[in-house]
Amino acid sequence: MSSPSDSSVKSPLDAAQKIVAELMGMTSEHQSLALKFAIETLGLQLPAALSPAAAPPVHPPQPTPPHTATNADHSTNIRSFTEMKAPKSDQQFTAVVAYFYQFESKPDERKEAIDADIMKEAARLAGRPQVARWNMTLTNAKNAGYLDAAGSGKFKLSSVGENLVAITLPGNGAPAGSKSKSANKKPKKKSSKKSVKKKG
């Protein structure tokens, strides 16, 4: 048998050049697939140092669910929320109602703005006395800075009103357990004057 000629012996470099020539002009994705098919067909396994790291599957970002108020740190009841904040006037009450419906109520009951009808219903649910004209009270609350006009008789919570409800209220004054000034005063000792009889 005749020995194979030197020209028939393929070197790794020659094979690599032919592979590169075949892959030229293809997209990187197709090049990767072609190499993968070739490796699987030959039953080869690349060394760990050469094998490309498996990229983690890409998942589309999940939308962040909106914050849902829970009974643990929020109140979904206008009556209990009003009692907790204890507004000292009808104008402060409008800010409490606007805050409640914007941030605290159930998601399907939230409102960006309030009007006289909403105030009337909120007062009924909260157990507060009705005023003669809620429109006037809302306007006065706007003038006080608690609300901003939203058009068509509607009003929305202002930054001042938000800070009032979130930070200032209930504002019970002196903390519990503090002694009043009158309690701190020490009782005055009555000076007993001895009557001095004049000598005749």
Side-chain angles (χ1 to χ4, degrees):
M1 294 180 63
S2 59
S3 59
S5 61
D6 294 338
S7 60
S8 63
V9 178
K10 297 180 181 179
S11 67
L13 180 59
D14 292 337
Q17 290 176 345
K18 289 183 179 181
I19 293 172
V20 171
E22 290 292 334
L23 297 179
M24 289 295 291
M26 299 173 63
T27 64
S28 57
E29 182 179 359
H30 288 171
Q31 290 173 347
S32 299
L33 287 174
L35 290 174
K36 181 174 180 293
F37 294 153
I39 291 171
E40 291 177 353
T41 302
L42 295 173
L44 300 177
Q45 186 175 2
L46 287 177
L50 298 179
S51 60
V58 179
H59 298 287
Q62 297 295 328
T64 304
H67 174 70
T68 302
T70 61
N71 292 331
D73 56 351
H74 294 279
S75 171
T76 56
N77 183 291
I78 183 64
R79 187 184 187 96
S80 60
F81 185 73
T82 302
E83 291 174 352
M84 179 175 63
K85 291 300 179 180
K88 297 174 178 59
S89 67
D90 292 329
Q91 294 178 22
Q92 289 187 356
F93 179 56
T94 64
V96 169
V97 173
Y99 187 99
F100 173 81
Y101 281 117
Q102 186 171 345
F103 300 113
E104 300 289 331
S105 64
K106 297 177 182 178
D108 57 344
E109 295 177 358
R110 293 189 180 180
K111 301 174 177 63
E112 290 294 327
I114 60 174
D115 56 17
D117 292 335
I118 293 174
M119 286 304 308
K120 184 177 180 179
E121 179 66 9
R124 184 186 69 81
L125 294 174
R128 287 180 66 92
Q130 297 288 347
V131 302
R133 295 176 61 190
W134 279 113
N135 279 327
M136 183 62 65
T137 304
L138 288 166
T139 301
N140 292 337
K142 178 183 76 70
N143 295 336
Y146 300 149
L147 304 175
D148 290 330
S152 302
K154 291 183 178 294
F155 298 84
K156 61 182 179 180
L157 188 68
S158 67
S159 57
V160 174
E162 183 175 344
N163 290 333
L164 169 76
V165 179
I167 300 173
T168 306
L169 294 180
N172 292 327
S178 62
K179 297 180 180 179
S180 61
K181 291 181 180 179
S182 60
N184 292 332
K185 289 183 179 179
K186 294 181 180 180
K188 292 182 179 179
K189 293 182 179 179
K190 293 181 180 180
S191 59
S192 58
K193 293 182 179 180
K194 294 181 180 179
S195 59
V196 179
K197 293 183 180 180
K198 293 182 180 179
K199 294 181 180 181

